[in-house]
Amino acid sequence: MWIKSRRTLKRTLQGDLRGGAGVCYTQYMPDFAAPVERLIDELKHLPGIGQKTAQRLAFYILRAAPEDALGLADAIRDAKEKIRECSVCSNITDDDPCLYCTGANRDKRLI
């Protein structure tokens, strides 16, 4: 049974909806296993990602081949460990100063 509002929830818990017993079991049972809930919660921290999109992404990752899912995790970890801001232009880079700032054609008077 889908609960659309607090009023419907209240009526469901009181047993007023369709003469039911008055217990909405979906309110008391977790939707997913703890590791899946954690994955969804972490994905929701990304900008523009809400609950539904986080669930879709989590299920996509879980259904992906193990090497694909682990490759994504490794890419995130690798980028987080190696990427930083250039001290000159604040561009993201793995070398400081970045490729643009050390280039031969770079005009040091700009930025």
Side-chain angles (χ1 to χ4, degrees):
M1 173 184 317
W2 292 97
I3 297 174
K4 296 181 180 180
S5 68
R6 286 185 177 151
R7 181 178 174 196
T8 305
L9 172 61
K10 184 176 178 182
R11 287 194 334 223
T12 302
L13 292 175
Q14 291 174 346
D16 293 340
L17 191 63
R18 297 185 187 172
V23 178
C24 179
Y25 294 103
T26 58
Q27 289 298 113
Y28 303 108
M29 294 177 58
D31 291 332
F32 307 109
V36 178
E37 285 286 345
R38 179 171 177 240
L39 177 59
I40 292 168
D41 287 341
E42 293 299 327
L43 289 169
K44 286 191 315 189
H45 288 100
L46 296 171
I49 304 295
Q51 178 72 25
K52 295 288 265 184
T53 302
Q55 287 177 359
R56 289 183 189 108
L57 290 170
F59 293 136
Y60 176 82
I61 292 168
L62 292 172
R63 288 186 184 113
E67 58 272 6
D68 293 338
L70 294 175
L72 174 62
D74 288 340
I76 293 170
R77 185 178 300 110
D78 193 40
K80 196 65 183 156
E81 290 172 356
K82 295 180 180 175
I83 300 298
R84 57 187 172 273
E85 282 189 5
C86 173
S87 60
V88 178
C89 69
S90 298
N91 191 17
I92 57 172
T93 182
D94 57 345
D95 293 324
D96 192 24
C98 71
L99 179 67
Y100 302 113
C101 293
T102 57
N105 296 334
R106 170 85 171 156
D107 184 0
K108 306 258 188 234
R109 294 176 294 157
L110 300 175
I111 300 186

